Amino acid sequence: MRRLSAFPPASANVATILATPSQRDGHAITVEGSIRTIRNQKQRSFVELGDGSTAYTLQAVLDPQLAEGLGTGTSVAITGTWQAAPPQKEQPYELKAKAVKIIGAADAEALTNSIMQKYPIQKKYHSAEYLRTLPHLRLRTPVNALLARLRSECDYHLASYFRERDFVRVQPPIITSSDCEGAGEVFTVSSKPSSARAKDEVEATDSEKDGFFKDPKFLTVSSQLHLEAFVHEHQKVWTLSPTFRAEKSDTPRHVAEFWMLEAEIRTESLKDVMNLIEDMIPDLVGKLQDAGFMEEILYANRGAESANAEGAQFPELLRNRWQRLMQTPWPRITYGTAVKRLHEALDSKEAKFMYEPSWTTGLQLEHEKFIATAFGQGSPVFVTDYPRQIKPFYMLPSTLENGVENPQNNTVACFDLLLPELCEVVGGSMREHRLQQLSQSMHHHGLNVPAAGVLGQTITNSEVLPSSERGNLEWYADLRRYGSVPHGGFGLGFDRLLAYLSGTSNIKDVVPWPRYHGRCDC
Ligand SMILES: NC(=O)C[C@H](N)C(=O)O
């Protein structure tokens, strides 16, 4: 039997009141929120009240004595009559206040003798860089409130998407023993003794001297390997979890801590993995369009973004972006085709690149941008089958159209999904599920080869050491050693997708507390 929830149902917030303003015409209402701005005139004060439910504000009109002690940032409950505003007003209705209760004082207090200070985010243009210095306070701005809502809504829809398709949501570890991508961009975890303890090293226990764990451990760069452990039992799994990369590049597309949506499925075909993404993203975008706040994202004033030359076209550009995401199928080209096209573009002077495109160096951002435009023309593009030597150890060799392994064995069954302008947002592959081939690949990548996993040898259980005494990827080899099935999966940069969906040009502005080289505020 279902229990009735004791949590109060949603009360009228600013969004619901503004959505159907005439419904409350002449009613006495109380609205809670914080003051975005206050304008004091001789006869009246005008308060713009916001509450995070919408980027729009509700206007309250106050007699001067009710406005005492109010300032930007003050949290209030205003009770009054909801009534038609004079005809020239922007909003058709306003709240004629009868009583104001201060729930949390701010700003106006700063002008008296308290220790509080003037609210640092005023109703004027603040650059994105300035707001980034106040990550904890910019959360109170309308645009950031919208972005938080978008994040929450996407999480919800994606969870429903996977659940409806029988995926199990799993929670892989954050602290790991391996660098899954082998790119050397790991943060090492240490538990240094506190300074008081450090002075008295003699008293520190062995584990404190060596660090908490016996060997160096890392913050995860990808949950993929752990998802692979789950997929054997569950067939289809996914997670949305924090991921860490000590990447020093300070670009609008990188942060050191981000959320990655990763899924792993039992399949024999890379196409199934791409098909999943090509279904999941349009499904998400379609559902988001029903949410009222998406309209607000189109028109929200976002400082620099709205102020630039494209500001006026922003809503149209963004709406078009959402449409293109929903139009499938998306083009799929091989890495070989992409590199050939880049060379053609160079030869015909159609494009200039800072970096010469080549088979072995991978695609630079400028190359990806060109490919996304040339092949996608506004649509996302899958680039598949990259050279083995530039991809991690765990990828399965490419297969030809007829399902036969690529005889040259120089490419792997993988893809990157490029979005116009933003470029790589998803990376995925089929995983090498055969122990001996995995060992060989690890050998090629200079990794410790799993015990007795050398080609042509077999192992017995007696050779298996306890996990604490085995190489850090032995457990991963076990997933093959004790029976394995063909499988593949992908990782989607969740914050990058949110930036793309919301038209935010720098990922640091969709991540509430961005961490990047030299910065980890709050
Ligand atoms: N789960 C994945 O396939 C993501 C992949 N390991 C990456 O980091 O790009």
Side-chain angles (χ1 to χ4, degrees), residues 180-181 222 224 245 260 262 394 427 431 489-491:
C180 160
E181 294 304 292
S222 164
Q224 175 199 319
R245 295 198 184 169
M260 186 140 73
E262 294 182 88
Y394 51 70
R431 322 303 191 188
F490 68 85

Side-chain angles (χ1 to χ4, degrees), residues 270 274 333-336 359 383-400 405-406 408-416 428-432 434 437 441 444-445:
L270 185 68
M274 291 190 279
I333 55 159
T334 63
Y335 178 86
W359 175 257
V383 181
T384 66
D385 302 279
Y386 282 63
R388 161 184 296 283
Q389 71 217 79
I390 59 169
K391 285 291 179 184
F393 72 96
Y394 51 70
M395 294 185 178
L396 195 68
S398 297
T399 44
L400 302 175
E405 211 166 281
N406 170 6
Q408 288 177 330
N409 194 21
N410 61 349
T411 58
V412 275
C414 71
F415 64 84
D416 278 358
S429 69
M430 291 298 294
R431 322 303 191 188
E432 180 53 82
R434 304 159 299 180
Q437 284 81 349
S441 175
H444 283 312
H445 282 83

Side-chain angles (χ1 to χ4, degrees), residues 24-44:
R24 294 175 173 78
D25 189 6
H27 289 214
I29 59 171
T30 298
V31 192
E32 273 190 39
S34 62
I35 296 180
R36 303 254 189 259
T37 60
I38 177 162
R39 213 159 25 96
N40 291 316
Q41 292 181 352
K42 259 203 195 125
Q43 311 285 326
R44 309 187 155 10

